[in-house]
Amino acid sequence: ARKALEYSWLADPYESAMLGMMFVPEHVFFQTLIIAECHEQSSIKDKKALLKRVANNTKRLAKWSESCSENYAHKYFISLALQSWLLGKKEEAIARFKKAISLARLHGYLFEEAIANEWLAKYW
């Protein structure tokens, strides 16, 4: 996961060349997932920076969710859930993962439904 995070950071500067394309929200979403995987093994200083990035990514996903909830609401709730998870708010994270699962199922996003279920299973 560390290597994936390194490559994710390398892709950040090229985002402005792809504004308006679906790759940008996908990158933001997957970067949040990668950060969540790397967070536990990080130093305290790195954890703060990673949490800040997750918060920023979540804000961006919120905007996309407002514009097109069918395509982005489930991603937004997964990101919100991961933010709660990383802050130690497990019950809040569980509720958000469940919301993400229902939204992903409703709109036919099987892959993201599976991701949310996998994180939920980590708790149990």
Side-chain angles (χ1 to χ4, degrees), residues 14-86:
Y14 300 102
E15 186 178 292
S16 62
M18 297 186 295
L19 287 178
M21 298 184 80
M22 66 177 231
F23 305 113
V24 176
E26 291 297 312
H27 171 72
V28 169
F29 174 68
F30 283 104
Q31 185 179 72
T32 301
L33 292 171
I34 294 165
I35 289 170
E37 281 294 326
C38 293
H39 186 266
E40 195 170 312
Q41 304 96 7
S42 300
S43 69
I44 293 191
K45 181 182 174 188
D46 287 344
K47 282 183 180 183
K48 288 180 182 181
L50 293 174
L51 279 172
K52 187 175 180 179
R53 178 57 71 104
V54 168
N56 185 47
N57 286 352
T58 302
K59 285 179 189 174
R60 296 180 74 194
L61 286 165
K63 287 183 182 182
W64 289 312
S65 177
E66 289 170 13
S67 298
C68 187
S69 64
E70 294 84 3
N71 291 338
Y72 298 108
H74 59 284
K75 289 178 171 83
Y76 168 63
F77 273 95
I78 291 171
S79 186
L80 268 178
L82 290 171
Q83 188 175 14
S84 297
W85 183 277
L86 297 176

